[in-house]
Amino acid sequence: MRILIVEDNKILNGSLTAALEKESYAIDSFYDGTKALRHILVNHSNYDLMIFDNMLPGTTGIELCIALREKGIFTPILMLTGISDTPHKIRALDAGADDYMTKPFSIRELAARVRALLRRPREAITTELKLRGIAMSSSSKQVTYKNTELKLTLKEFGILEYLIRNCGQVISRDQLLDHVWDFEVNAFSNIVDVHITNLRKKLERVGAKHILETVRGTGFIIKS
């Protein structure tokens, strides 16, 4: 899953990015509200969740929420702010934020709130996936094949999760780059193929052969 962070404090932005990448999320970061808005209006479908600081250069977090909701963009939004009074919280929630955290906050609590927002039935997101003997948990990051555990890297987990969530569909390399990697990754690198090869070897090692298929010249598929 992919998350957009808009936070002008570079230290906090980096801490949030590092913590959420450890949870296997792909992260894109912005420090300016106006630049973030231009990017989101074009690329909002790439994101499963957005995290906004309220006090931003250019456009505030509340103004971002209002602008996106007016455009019919309903991606979940978690608002961060240093203001703790109730009227401010009400303004943020009324503007379209789905949740609200007051600084300073625990990174562990933020990660838990992110998981809670992603579990909401906007697109019937489930944290437990099962397909053709594979069982995986988005919350614990555990994967098994017929009760044999697979030790996957976070990127391998992200690839497998995305393919299973879209089982029966051919997923292109560009789609995997969009949903599993940061947007700075060079689209012409072979990074996807390297991870696919390693993932396929691990699946075959536990007996899960012919599950992850390559569609020549197009992409990859796990059939239902």
Side-chain angles (χ1 to χ4, degrees):
M1 293 186 176
R2 194 176 191 87
I3 296 174
L4 177 72
I5 297 175
V6 189
E7 166 61 68
D8 64 320
N9 183 316
K10 293 189 177 182
I11 294 176
L12 179 56
N13 196 317
S15 296
L16 294 175
T17 296
L20 292 173
E21 283 181 339
K22 286 182 180 178
E23 299 279 333
S24 84
Y25 301 114
I27 307 297
D28 294 339
S29 294
F30 281 84
Y31 308 102
D32 178 276
T34 302
K35 292 179 180 177
L37 178 58
R38 288 198 295 265
H39 175 80
I40 295 166
L41 290 176
V42 176
N43 301 284
H44 62 88
S45 62
N46 290 340
Y47 298 104
D48 301 285
L49 175 72
M50 294 182 282
I51 299 175
F52 297 158
D53 181 34
N54 185 43
M55 301 303 294
L56 292 166
T59 301
T60 69
I62 286 179
E63 290 169 343
L64 274 177
C65 286
I66 293 171
L68 297 182
R69 297 319 189 211
E70 286 179 347
K71 292 289 186 181
I73 299 170
F74 295 105
T75 306
I77 295 171
L78 172 59
M79 182 76 73
L80 309 178
T81 181
I83 303 172
S84 60
D85 64 274
T86 299
H88 185 78
K89 293 179 182 179
I90 292 172
R91 283 197 298 275
L93 295 170
D94 283 346
D98 296 273
D99 199 0
Y100 183 109
M101 292 191 73
T102 304
K103 302 176 183 178
F105 50 79
S106 160
I107 294 291
R108 290 180 62 191
E109 181 184 352
L110 180 134
R113 288 178 182 247
V114 165
R115 290 193 296 271
L117 286 170
L118 290 172
R119 284 197 300 268
R120 290 186 180 179
R122 181 174 62 100
E123 296 179 356
I125 294 173
T126 178
T127 60
E128 306 295 327
L129 300 173
K130 293 184 178 180
L131 182 72
R132 297 179 61 182
I134 298 172
M136 62 191 309
S137 169
S138 297
S139 55
S140 69
K141 302 298 181 291
Q142 291 183 326
V143 184
T144 61
Y145 176 72
K146 295 183 177 178
N147 298 320
T148 300
E149 186 175 3
L150 283 81
K151 296 290 187 181
L152 303 183
T153 67
L154 291 178
K155 293 303 184 189
E156 290 164 359
F157 184 96
I159 290 170
L160 183 61
E161 179 186 37
Y162 190 64
L163 290 171
I164 287 180
R165 288 190 185 278
N166 294 276
C167 66
Q169 300 179 43
V170 178
I171 303 298
S172 70
R173 288 168 178 80
D174 286 344
Q175 285 176 289
L176 288 173
L177 282 172
D178 282 342
H179 286 269
V180 183
W181 274 268
D182 299 332
F183 64 78
E184 293 90 351
V185 171
N186 184 348
F188 296 102
S189 75
N190 68 340
I191 191 170
V192 172
D193 296 270
V194 170
H195 282 78
I196 285 285
T197 297
N198 292 336
L199 175 58
R200 183 179 281 119
K201 286 178 180 178
K202 291 181 180 182
L203 288 167
E204 291 178 350
R205 201 173 296 145
V206 296
K209 297 181 179 180
H210 310 301
I211 285 182
L212 173 52
E213 301 178 25
T214 298
V215 180
R216 193 174 185 84
T218 305
F220 311 95
I221 186 172
I222 292 180
K223 295 178 180 177
S224 56

